[in-house]
Amino acid sequence: EKYRSVANRSSLLFFLMTDLVKIHTYYIYSLAAFQQVFDHGIAISGSANPASNESEDGDGSGEEVDVSARCDVLRRNITLCVFNYIRRGLFEVDKLTVATLLTLKILVNDGEMEAG
């Protein structure tokens, strides 16, 4: 349950990749390709938690901070890996369109902007 935000962002990225075929039939990506990029994003995140602030009283709240920080790092790295993977295969004319689509989908998904 703690990694739901990472799963949510990852599914958003996958469906963005699969929807790119609507822009041009050249942009066809498979689940296997996404999975490789996703795994690479996890690998570059490292296994060390960025915020290693253990709570003094040992109540476990330090672990919550660590998981939250870890999720932030994972979301950022997976998003960057997927965007860079997609960007390399885009025609120059479509790069701004895809970057805008990605940004808007993330803002709507995160509740920072209303859809419609």
Side-chain angles (χ1 to χ4, degrees), residues 19-112:
D19 284 346
L20 291 180
V21 75
K22 295 175 185 174
I23 295 173
H24 195 285
T25 56
Y26 180 74
Y27 306 138
I28 298 175
Y29 298 97
S30 67
L31 178 58
F34 176 78
Q35 196 169 15
Q36 282 186 334
V37 176
F38 177 81
D39 290 342
H40 179 69
I42 292 173
I44 65 170
S45 297
S47 59
N49 290 332
S52 58
N53 308 1
E54 291 294 325
S55 64
E56 297 280 330
D57 54 2
D59 64 354
S61 64
E63 183 180 328
E64 288 295 325
V65 172
D66 289 346
V67 170
S68 176
R70 176 79 175 140
C71 286
D72 290 341
V73 169
L74 284 169
R75 274 194 314 270
R76 184 179 66 243
N77 286 341
I78 291 169
T79 302
L80 286 173
C81 283
V82 170
F83 177 71
N84 284 331
Y85 178 77
I86 293 171
R87 180 186 52 82
R88 288 183 305 184
L90 292 175
F91 294 124
E92 200 63 37
V93 70
D94 294 329
K95 287 184 179 182
L96 183 60
T97 304
V98 172
T100 303
L101 275 172
L102 176 62
T103 303
L104 293 175
K105 283 182 180 270
I106 288 173
L107 288 174
V108 168
N109 190 49
D110 292 349
E112 297 178 23

Coordinates of all heavy atoms in Angstrom, one line a residue, residues 19-112:
D19 N -0.5 5.2 -25.7 CA -1.4 6.2 -26.4 C -0.6 7.0 -27.5 O -1.3 7.7 -28.3 CB -2.0 7.2 -25.5 CG -3.2 6.5 -24.7 OD1 -3.6 5.5 -25.1 OD2 -3.6 7.1 -23.7
L20 N 0.7 6.9 -27.5 CA 1.5 7.7 -28.5 C 1.2 7.2 -29.9 O 1.4 8.0 -30.9 CB 3.0 7.6 -28.2 CG 3.4 8.4 -26.9 CD1 4.9 8.2 -26.7 CD2 3.0 9.8 -27.0
V21 N 0.7 6.0 -30.1 CA 0.4 5.5 -31.4 C -0.7 6.3 -32.1 O -0.8 6.4 -33.3 CB 0.1 4.0 -31.4 CG1 -1.3 3.8 -30.8 CG2 0.2 3.4 -32.7
K22 N -1.5 7.0 -31.3 CA -2.5 7.9 -31.8 C -1.9 9.1 -32.5 O -2.5 9.8 -33.3 CB -3.5 8.3 -30.7 CG -4.2 7.2 -30.1 CD -5.1 7.6 -28.9 CE -5.8 6.5 -28.2 NZ -6.5 6.9 -27.0
I23 N -0.7 9.5 -32.1 CA 0.0 10.7 -32.7 C 0.6 10.2 -34.0 O 0.5 10.9 -35.0 CB 1.1 11.2 -31.7 CG1 0.4 11.8 -30.5 CG2 1.9 12.3 -32.4 CD1 1.4 12.2 -29.4
H24 N 1.3 9.1 -34.0 CA 1.9 8.6 -35.2 C 2.0 7.0 -35.0 O 2.4 6.6 -34.0 CB 3.3 9.2 -35.4 CG 3.8 9.0 -36.8 ND1 4.3 7.8 -37.2 CD2 3.9 9.8 -37.9 CE1 4.7 7.9 -38.5 NE2 4.5 9.1 -38.9
T25 N 1.8 6.3 -36.1 CA 1.8 4.8 -36.0 C 3.2 4.3 -35.8 O 3.4 3.2 -35.4 CB 1.3 4.2 -37.3 OG1 2.0 4.7 -38.4 CG2 -0.2 4.5 -37.4
Y26 N 4.2 5.2 -35.9 CA 5.6 4.8 -35.7 C 5.9 4.6 -34.2 O 6.7 3.8 -33.8 CB 6.5 5.9 -36.2 CG 8.0 5.7 -36.0 CD1 8.7 4.7 -36.8 CD2 8.7 6.4 -35.1 CE1 10.0 4.5 -36.6 CE2 10.1 6.1 -34.9 CZ 10.7 5.2 -35.7 OH 12.0 5.0 -35.5
Y27 N 5.1 5.2 -33.3 CA 5.3 5.1 -31.9 C 4.5 4.0 -31.2 O 3.5 4.1 -30.6 CB 4.9 6.4 -31.2 CG 5.5 7.7 -31.8 CD1 4.7 8.8 -32.0 CD2 6.8 7.7 -32.1 CE1 5.3 10.0 -32.5 CE2 7.4 8.9 -32.6 CZ 6.6 10.0 -32.8 OH 7.2 11.1 -33.3
I28 N 5.1 2.8 -31.4 CA 4.5 1.6 -30.8 C 5.4 1.0 -29.8 O 6.6 0.7 -30.1 CB 4.2 0.5 -31.9 CG1 3.1 1.1 -32.9 CG2 3.6 -0.8 -31.2 CD1 2.9 0.1 -34.0
Y29 N 5.0 0.9 -28.5 CA 5.8 0.4 -27.4 C 5.1 -0.8 -26.8 O 3.9 -0.8 -26.7 CB 6.1 1.5 -26.4 CG 6.8 2.7 -26.9 CD1 6.1 3.8 -27.3 CD2 8.2 2.7 -27.0 CE1 6.8 4.9 -27.8 CE2 8.9 3.8 -27.5 CZ 8.1 4.9 -27.9 OH 8.8 6.0 -28.4
S30 N 5.9 -1.7 -26.4 CA 5.4 -3.0 -25.8 C 5.5 -2.9 -24.3 O 6.3 -2.1 -23.7 CB 6.2 -4.2 -26.3 OG 7.5 -4.2 -25.8
L31 N 4.8 -3.8 -23.6 CA 4.9 -3.9 -22.2 C 6.3 -4.3 -21.8 O 6.9 -3.9 -20.8 CB 3.9 -4.9 -21.7 CG 3.9 -5.2 -20.2 CD1 3.7 -3.9 -19.4 CD2 2.9 -6.2 -19.8
A32 N 6.9 -5.2 -22.6 CA 8.3 -5.6 -22.3 C 9.3 -4.5 -22.3 O 10.2 -4.4 -21.5 CB 8.7 -6.7 -23.2
A33 N 9.1 -3.6 -23.3 CA 10.0 -2.4 -23.4 C 9.8 -1.5 -22.1 O 10.8 -1.0 -21.5 CB 9.7 -1.6 -24.6
F34 N 8.5 -1.3 -21.8 CA 8.2 -0.5 -20.6 C 8.8 -1.1 -19.3 O 9.4 -0.4 -18.5 CB 6.7 -0.3 -20.4 CG 6.4 0.5 -19.1 CD1 6.6 1.8 -19.1 CD2 6.0 -0.2 -18.0 CE1 6.3 2.5 -17.9 CE2 5.7 0.4 -16.8 CZ 5.9 1.8 -16.8
Q35 N 8.7 -2.4 -19.2 CA 9.2 -3.1 -18.1 C 10.7 -3.0 -17.9 O 11.3 -2.8 -16.8 CB 8.9 -4.6 -18.2 CG 9.0 -5.3 -16.8 CD 8.4 -6.7 -16.9 OE1 8.1 -7.2 -18.0 NE2 8.2 -7.3 -15.8
Q36 N 11.5 -3.0 -19.0 CA 12.9 -2.8 -19.0 C 13.3 -1.4 -18.5 O 14.2 -1.2 -17.7 CB 13.5 -3.1 -20.3 CG 13.7 -4.5 -20.7 CD 14.5 -4.7 -22.0 OE1 14.5 -3.8 -22.9 NE2 15.1 -5.9 -22.1
V37 N 12.6 -0.4 -19.0 CA 12.8 1.0 -18.7 C 12.4 1.2 -17.2 O 13.1 1.9 -16.4 CB 12.0 2.0 -19.6 CG1 12.2 3.4 -19.1 CG2 12.5 1.8 -21.0
F38 N 11.3 0.6 -16.8 CA 10.9 0.7 -15.4 C 11.9 0.1 -14.4 O 12.3 0.7 -13.4 CB 9.5 -0.1 -15.3 CG 9.0 -0.1 -13.9 CD1 8.3 0.9 -13.3 CD2 9.1 -1.3 -13.1 CE1 7.8 0.9 -12.1 CE2 8.6 -1.3 -11.8 CZ 7.9 -0.3 -11.3
D39 N 12.4 -1.1 -14.8 CA 13.5 -1.8 -14.0 C 14.7 -0.9 -13.9 O 15.4 -0.8 -12.9 CB 13.8 -3.1 -14.5 CG 12.6 -4.1 -14.3 OD1 11.8 -3.9 -13.5 OD2 12.6 -5.2 -15.0
H40 N 15.1 -0.3 -15.0 CA 16.2 0.6 -15.0 C 16.0 1.8 -14.1 O 17.0 2.2 -13.4 CB 16.6 1.1 -16.4 CG 17.7 2.0 -16.5 ND1 19.0 1.6 -16.3 CD2 17.8 3.3 -16.8 CE1 19.9 2.6 -16.4 NE2 19.1 3.7 -16.7
G41 N 14.8 2.4 -14.1 CA 14.5 3.5 -13.2 C 14.6 3.1 -11.7 O 15.1 3.8 -10.9
I42 N 14.2 1.8 -11.4 CA 14.4 1.3 -10.0 C 15.9 1.1 -9.7 O 16.3 1.5 -8.6 CB 13.6 0.0 -9.8 CG1 12.1 0.3 -9.9 CG2 13.9 -0.6 -8.5 CD1 11.2 -0.9 -9.9
A43 N 16.6 0.6 -10.7 CA 18.0 0.3 -10.4 C 18.8 1.5 -10.2 O 19.7 1.5 -9.3 CB 18.6 -0.5 -11.6
I44 N 18.6 2.6 -10.9 CA 19.3 3.8 -10.7 C 18.9 4.6 -9.4 O 19.6 5.5 -9.0 CB 19.3 4.8 -11.9 CG1 17.9 5.3 -12.2 CG2 19.9 4.1 -13.1 CD1 17.9 6.4 -13.2
S45 N 17.8 4.2 -8.9 CA 17.3 4.8 -7.6 C 18.2 4.3 -6.5 O 18.2 5.0 -5.4 CB 15.9 4.5 -7.3 OG 15.1 5.0 -8.3
G46 N 18.9 3.2 -6.6 CA 19.7 2.7 -5.6 C 18.9 2.0 -4.5 O 17.7 2.2 -4.4
S47 N 19.5 1.3 -3.6 CA 18.8 0.6 -2.6 C 18.9 1.4 -1.3 O 18.2 1.1 -0.3 CB 19.4 -0.8 -2.4 OG 20.8 -0.7 -2.0
A48 N 19.7 2.4 -1.2 CA 19.8 3.2 0.0 C 18.7 4.2 0.1 O 18.3 4.8 -0.9 CB 21.1 3.9 0.1
N49 N 18.1 4.3 1.3 CA 17.0 5.3 1.5 C 17.6 6.7 1.6 O 18.6 6.8 2.3 CB 16.2 5.0 2.7 CG 15.4 3.7 2.5 OD1 14.9 3.4 1.4 ND2 15.1 3.0 3.6
P50 N 17.1 7.7 0.9 CA 17.7 9.0 0.9 C 17.6 9.7 2.3 O 18.4 10.5 2.6 CB 16.9 9.8 -0.2 CG 15.7 9.0 -0.4 CD 16.0 7.6 0.0
A51 N 16.5 9.4 3.0 CA 16.3 10.0 4.3 C 16.4 9.0 5.4 O 15.5 8.2 5.6 CB 14.9 10.7 4.3
S52 N 17.6 8.8 5.9 CA 17.8 7.8 6.9 C 17.6 8.3 8.3 O 18.5 8.2 9.2 CB 19.1 7.1 6.7 OG 20.1 8.1 6.8
N53 N 16.6 9.1 8.6 CA 16.3 9.7 9.9 C 15.5 8.7 10.7 O 14.3 8.7 10.6 CB 15.5 11.0 9.8 CG 16.2 11.9 8.8 OD1 17.2 11.7 8.2 ND2 15.6 13.1 8.7
E54 N 16.1 7.9 11.5 CA 15.4 7.0 12.4 C 14.9 7.8 13.6 O 15.6 8.7 14.1 CB 16.4 5.9 12.9 CG 16.8 4.9 11.8 CD 15.6 4.1 11.3 OE1 14.7 3.7 12.1 OE2 15.6 3.8 10.1
S55 N 13.7 7.5 14.0 CA 13.2 8.2 15.2 C 13.9 7.8 16.4 O 14.3 6.7 16.6 CB 11.7 8.0 15.3 OG 11.4 6.6 15.5
E56 N 14.0 8.7 17.3 CA 14.7 8.5 18.6 C 14.1 7.5 19.5 O 14.7 6.7 20.1 CB 14.9 9.8 19.4 CG 15.6 10.9 18.6 CD 17.1 10.7 18.8 OE1 17.6 10.2 19.8 OE2 17.9 11.1 17.8
D57 N 12.7 7.5 19.5 CA 12.0 6.6 20.4 C 11.7 5.2 19.8 O 11.1 4.4 20.5 CB 10.8 7.2 20.9 CG 9.9 7.7 19.8 OD1 10.2 7.5 18.6 OD2 8.8 8.3 20.1
G58 N 12.1 5.0 18.6 CA 11.9 3.7 17.9 C 10.4 3.4 17.7 O 10.0 2.2 17.6
D59 N 9.6 4.4 17.4 CA 8.2 4.1 17.2 C 7.8 3.8 15.7 O 6.7 3.6 15.4 CB 7.3 5.3 17.7 CG 7.6 6.6 16.9 OD1 8.5 6.6 16.0 OD2 6.9 7.6 17.1
G60 N 8.9 3.8 14.9 CA 8.6 3.4 13.5 C 8.3 4.6 12.6 O 8.1 4.4 11.4
S61 N 8.2 5.8 13.1 CA 7.8 7.0 12.3 C 9.0 7.3 11.3 O 8.8 7.9 10.3 CB 7.4 8.2 13.1 OG 8.5 8.6 13.9
G62 N 10.2 7.0 11.7 CA 11.3 7.2 10.8 C 11.2 6.3 9.6 O 11.6 6.7 8.5
E63 N 10.6 5.1 9.7 CA 10.4 4.2 8.5 C 9.4 4.8 7.6 O 9.6 4.7 6.4 CB 10.0 2.9 9.0 CG 9.8 1.9 7.9 CD 9.3 0.5 8.4 OE1 9.7 0.1 9.5 OE2 8.6 -0.1 7.6
E64 N 8.4 5.5 8.1 CA 7.4 6.2 7.2 C 8.1 7.3 6.4 O 7.8 7.4 5.2 CB 6.3 6.7 8.1 CG 5.4 5.7 8.7 CD 4.6 5.0 7.6 OE1 4.2 5.6 6.6 OE2 4.3 3.8 7.8
V65 N 8.9 8.0 7.0 CA 9.6 9.1 6.3 C 10.5 8.5 5.2 O 10.6 8.9 4.1 CB 10.5 10.0 7.3 CG1 11.3 10.9 6.5 CG2 9.6 10.7 8.2
D66 N 11.2 7.4 5.6 CA 12.1 6.7 4.6 C 11.3 6.2 3.4 O 11.7 6.3 2.3 CB 12.8 5.5 5.3 CG 13.9 6.0 6.3 OD1 14.2 7.2 6.2 OD2 14.4 5.2 7.0
V67 N 10.2 5.6 3.6 CA 9.3 5.0 2.5 C 8.8 6.2 1.7 O 8.8 6.1 0.5 CB 8.2 4.1 3.1 CG1 7.2 3.8 2.0 CG2 8.8 2.9 3.7
S68 N 8.4 7.2 2.3 CA 7.9 8.4 1.6 C 9.0 9.0 0.7 O 8.7 9.3 -0.5 CB 7.3 9.4 2.5 OG 6.9 10.6 1.8
A69 N 10.2 9.2 1.3 CA 11.3 9.7 0.5 C 11.7 8.7 -0.6 O 12.0 9.2 -1.7 CB 12.5 10.0 1.4
R70 N 11.7 7.5 -0.3 CA 12.0 6.4 -1.3 C 11.0 6.5 -2.5 O 11.4 6.4 -3.6 CB 12.0 5.1 -0.7 CG 12.2 3.9 -1.6 CD 13.7 3.8 -1.9 NE 13.8 2.5 -2.7 CZ 14.7 2.5 -3.8 NH1 15.4 3.5 -4.1 NH2 14.8 1.4 -4.5
C71 N 9.7 6.6 -2.2 CA 8.7 6.7 -3.2 C 8.9 8.0 -4.1 O 8.7 7.9 -5.3 CB 7.3 6.7 -2.6 SG 6.8 5.2 -1.9
D72 N 9.3 9.1 -3.5 CA 9.6 10.3 -4.2 C 10.7 10.1 -5.2 O 10.6 10.4 -6.4 CB 9.9 11.5 -3.3 CG 8.7 11.9 -2.5 OD1 7.5 11.6 -2.9 OD2 8.9 12.6 -1.5
V73 N 11.8 9.4 -4.7 CA 12.9 9.1 -5.6 C 12.5 8.2 -6.7 O 12.9 8.4 -7.9 CB 14.1 8.6 -4.7 CG1 15.2 8.0 -5.6 CG2 14.6 9.6 -3.8
L74 N 11.8 7.1 -6.4 CA 11.4 6.2 -7.4 C 10.5 6.8 -8.5 O 10.7 6.6 -9.7 CB 10.6 5.0 -6.7 CG 11.5 4.0 -6.0 CD1 10.6 3.0 -5.2 CD2 12.3 3.2 -7.0
R75 N 9.5 7.6 -8.0 CA 8.6 8.3 -9.0 C 9.4 9.2 -9.9 O 9.2 9.2 -11.1 CB 7.6 9.1 -8.3 CG 6.3 8.4 -7.9 CD 5.2 9.3 -7.5 NE 5.6 10.4 -6.6 CZ 5.6 10.3 -5.3 NH1 5.2 9.2 -4.7 NH2 5.9 11.3 -4.5
R76 N 10.3 10.0 -9.4 CA 11.1 10.9 -10.2 C 12.0 10.1 -11.2 O 12.1 10.4 -12.3 CB 12.0 11.8 -9.3 CG 12.8 12.8 -10.0 CD 13.6 13.7 -9.1 NE 14.7 13.0 -8.5 CZ 14.8 12.8 -7.2 NH1 13.9 13.4 -6.4 NH2 15.8 12.1 -6.7
N77 N 12.7 9.1 -10.7 CA 13.7 8.4 -11.5 C 12.9 7.6 -12.6 O 13.4 7.5 -13.8 CB 14.6 7.4 -10.7 CG 15.6 8.2 -10.0 OD1 15.9 9.4 -10.3 ND2 16.2 7.6 -9.0
I78 N 11.8 6.9 -12.3 CA 11.1 6.2 -13.3 C 10.5 7.1 -14.3 O 10.6 6.8 -15.5 CB 10.0 5.3 -12.6 CG1 10.6 4.2 -11.7 CG2 9.0 4.8 -13.6 CD1 9.7 3.5 -10.8
T79 N 10.0 8.3 -13.9 CA 9.4 9.2 -14.8 C 10.5 9.7 -15.8 O 10.3 9.8 -17.0 CB 8.8 10.4 -14.1 OG1 7.8 9.9 -13.2 CG2 8.2 11.4 -15.0
L80 N 11.7 10.0 -15.3 CA 12.8 10.5 -16.1 C 13.3 9.4 -17.1 O 13.5 9.7 -18.3 CB 13.9 11.0 -15.3 CG 13.7 12.4 -14.6 CD1 14.9 12.7 -13.6 CD2 13.6 13.5 -15.6
C81 N 13.4 8.2 -16.6 CA 13.8 7.1 -17.5 C 12.8 6.9 -18.6 O 13.2 6.7 -19.8 CB 14.0 5.8 -16.7 SG 15.5 5.8 -15.7
V82 N 11.6 6.8 -18.3 CA 10.5 6.6 -19.3 C 10.5 7.8 -20.3 O 10.5 7.6 -21.5 CB 9.2 6.4 -18.7 CG1 8.1 6.4 -19.7 CG2 9.1 5.1 -17.9
F83 N 10.5 9.0 -19.8 CA 10.5 10.2 -20.7 C 11.7 10.2 -21.6 O 11.6 10.4 -22.8 CB 10.4 11.5 -19.9 CG 10.5 12.7 -20.8 CD1 9.4 13.0 -21.6 CD2 11.6 13.4 -20.9 CE1 9.5 14.1 -22.5 CE2 11.7 14.5 -21.8 CZ 10.6 14.8 -22.5
N84 N 12.9 9.9 -21.1 CA 14.1 9.9 -21.9 C 14.1 8.7 -22.9 O 14.5 8.9 -24.1 CB 15.4 9.7 -21.0 CG 15.7 11.0 -20.4 OD1 15.4 12.1 -20.9 ND2 16.3 11.0 -19.2
Y85 N 13.5 7.6 -22.5 CA 13.3 6.5 -23.5 C 12.4 6.9 -24.6 O 12.7 6.6 -25.8 CB 12.8 5.3 -22.7 CG 12.6 4.1 -23.6 CD1 13.6 3.3 -24.1 CD2 11.3 3.7 -24.0 CE1 13.4 2.2 -24.9 CE2 11.1 2.6 -24.8 CZ 12.1 1.8 -25.2 OH 11.9 0.8 -26.0
I86 N 11.3 7.5 -24.3 CA 10.3 7.9 -25.3 C 10.9 9.0 -26.2 O 10.8 9.0 -27.4 CB 9.0 8.4 -24.6 CG1 8.3 7.2 -23.9 CG2 8.1 9.0 -25.7 CD1 7.1 7.7 -23.1
R87 N 11.5 10.0 -25.5 CA 12.1 11.1 -26.2 C 13.1 10.8 -27.3 O 13.1 11.4 -28.4 CB 12.7 12.1 -25.2 CG 13.3 13.3 -25.8 CD 14.1 14.1 -24.7 NE 15.0 13.3 -24.0 CZ 16.3 13.0 -24.5 NH1 16.7 13.5 -25.6 NH2 17.1 12.3 -23.8
R88 N 13.9 9.7 -27.1 CA 14.9 9.3 -28.1 C 14.2 8.9 -29.4 O 14.8 9.0 -30.5 CB 15.8 8.2 -27.5 CG 16.7 8.7 -26.5 CD 17.6 7.6 -26.1 NE 16.8 6.5 -25.6 CZ 17.2 5.4 -25.1 NH1 18.5 5.2 -24.9 NH2 16.4 4.4 -24.7
G89 N 13.0 8.3 -29.3 CA 12.4 7.8 -30.5 C 11.4 8.7 -31.1 O 10.7 8.3 -32.1
L90 N 11.3 9.9 -30.6 CA 10.2 10.8 -31.2 C 10.8 11.6 -32.3 O 12.0 12.0 -32.4 CB 9.8 11.8 -30.1 CG 9.0 11.2 -28.9 CD1 8.7 12.3 -27.9 CD2 7.7 10.6 -29.4
F91 N 9.9 12.0 -33.3 CA 10.2 13.0 -34.3 C 10.3 14.3 -33.6 O 9.7 14.6 -32.6 CB 9.1 13.0 -35.4 CG 9.0 11.7 -36.2 CD1 7.8 11.1 -36.3 CD2 10.1 11.2 -36.8 CE1 7.7 9.9 -37.0 CE2 10.0 10.1 -37.6 CZ 8.8 9.4 -37.7
E92 N 11.2 15.2 -34.1 CA 11.4 16.5 -33.5 C 10.1 17.3 -33.3 O 9.9 17.9 -32.3 CB 12.4 17.2 -34.3 CG 13.1 18.4 -33.6 CD 14.0 17.9 -32.4 OE1 14.6 16.9 -32.5 OE2 14.0 18.6 -31.4
V93 N 9.2 17.2 -34.3 CA 8.0 17.9 -34.2 C 7.1 17.4 -33.1 O 6.2 18.2 -32.6 CB 7.3 17.9 -35.6 CG1 6.7 16.5 -35.9 CG2 6.2 18.9 -35.7
D94 N 7.2 16.2 -32.6 CA 6.3 15.7 -31.6 C 6.9 15.8 -30.2 O 6.2 15.5 -29.2 CB 6.0 14.2 -31.9 CG 5.2 14.0 -33.2 OD1 4.4 14.9 -33.5 OD2 5.4 13.0 -33.8
K95 N 8.1 16.2 -30.0 CA 8.7 16.2 -28.7 C 8.0 17.1 -27.7 O 7.8 16.8 -26.6 CB 10.2 16.6 -28.8 CG 11.0 15.4 -29.3 CD 12.5 15.7 -29.4 CE 13.3 14.5 -29.9 NZ 14.7 14.7 -29.9
L96 N 7.7 18.3 -28.1 CA 7.0 19.3 -27.3 C 5.6 18.8 -26.9 O 5.1 18.9 -25.8 CB 6.9 20.7 -27.9 CG 6.3 21.8 -27.1 CD1 7.1 21.9 -25.7 CD2 6.3 23.1 -27.8
T97 N 4.9 18.2 -27.9 CA 3.6 17.7 -27.7 C 3.6 16.6 -26.6 O 2.8 16.6 -25.7 CB 3.0 17.1 -29.0 OG1 3.0 18.1 -30.0 CG2 1.6 16.6 -28.8
V98 N 4.6 15.7 -26.7 CA 4.6 14.5 -25.7 C 5.0 15.1 -24.4 O 4.5 14.6 -23.3 CB 5.6 13.5 -26.2 CG1 5.8 12.4 -25.2 CG2 5.0 12.8 -27.5
A99 N 6.0 16.0 -24.3 CA 6.4 16.6 -23.0 C 5.2 17.3 -22.4 O 5.0 17.2 -21.1 CB 7.5 17.6 -23.2
T100 N 4.4 18.0 -23.1 CA 3.2 18.6 -22.6 C 2.2 17.6 -22.1 O 1.6 17.8 -21.1 CB 2.6 19.6 -23.7 OG1 3.6 20.5 -24.1 CG2 1.4 20.3 -23.1
L101 N 1.9 16.6 -22.9 CA 1.0 15.5 -22.5 C 1.4 14.9 -21.2 O 0.6 14.7 -20.3 CB 0.9 14.4 -23.6 CG 0.0 14.6 -24.8 CD1 0.2 13.5 -25.8 CD2 -1.4 14.6 -24.3
L102 N 2.7 14.6 -21.1 CA 3.2 14.0 -19.9 C 3.0 14.9 -18.7 O 2.5 14.5 -17.6 CB 4.7 13.6 -20.0 CG 5.4 13.1 -18.8 CD1 4.7 11.8 -18.3 CD2 6.8 12.8 -19.1
T103 N 3.4 16.2 -18.8 CA 3.2 17.2 -17.7 C 1.8 17.3 -17.3 O 1.5 17.3 -16.1 CB 3.8 18.5 -18.2 OG1 5.2 18.3 -18.6 CG2 3.7 19.5 -17.1
L104 N 0.9 17.5 -18.3 CA -0.5 17.7 -17.9 C -1.1 16.4 -17.3 O -1.9 16.5 -16.3 CB -1.3 18.0 -19.2 CG -1.0 19.4 -19.8 CD1 -1.7 19.6 -21.1 CD2 -1.3 20.5 -18.8
K105 N -0.8 15.2 -17.8 CA -1.3 14.0 -17.1 C -0.8 13.9 -15.7 O -1.5 13.5 -14.8 CB -0.9 12.8 -18.0 CG -1.7 12.6 -19.2 CD -1.3 11.3 -19.9 CE -2.1 11.1 -21.2 NZ -3.3 10.3 -20.9
I106 N 0.5 14.2 -15.5 CA 1.0 14.1 -14.1 C 0.3 15.2 -13.2 O -0.1 14.8 -12.1 CB 2.5 14.4 -14.1 CG1 3.2 13.1 -14.7 CG2 3.1 14.6 -12.7 CD1 4.7 13.3 -14.9
L107 N 0.1 16.4 -13.7 CA -0.6 17.4 -12.9 C -2.0 17.0 -12.5 O -2.4 17.2 -11.4 CB -0.5 18.8 -13.6 CG 0.8 19.5 -13.7 CD1 0.7 20.7 -14.5 CD2 1.3 19.8 -12.3
V108 N -2.7 16.5 -13.5 CA -4.1 16.1 -13.3 C -4.1 14.9 -12.3 O -4.9 14.8 -11.3 CB -4.8 15.7 -14.6 CG1 -6.1 15.0 -14.3 CG2 -5.0 16.9 -15.4
N109 N -3.2 13.9 -12.5 CA -3.1 12.7 -11.6 C -2.8 13.1 -10.2 O -3.3 12.5 -9.3 CB -2.1 11.8 -12.2 CG -2.2 10.4 -11.5 OD1 -3.2 9.8 -11.4 ND2 -1.0 10.0 -11.1
D110 N -1.9 14.1 -10.0 CA -1.5 14.5 -8.7 C -2.5 15.5 -8.0 O -2.3 15.9 -6.9 CB -0.1 15.1 -8.7 CG 1.0 14.1 -9.1 OD1 0.7 12.9 -9.1 OD2 2.1 14.5 -9.3
G111 N -3.5 15.8 -8.7 CA -4.5 16.7 -8.2 C -4.2 18.2 -8.2 O -4.8 19.0 -7.5
E112 N -3.1 18.6 -8.9 CA -2.7 19.9 -8.9 C -3.4 20.7 -10.0 O -3.2 22.0 -10.1 CB -1.2 20.0 -9.1 CG -0.4 19.4 -8.0 CD 1.1 19.4 -8.2 OE1 1.6 20.2 -8.9 OE2 1.7 18.6 -7.5

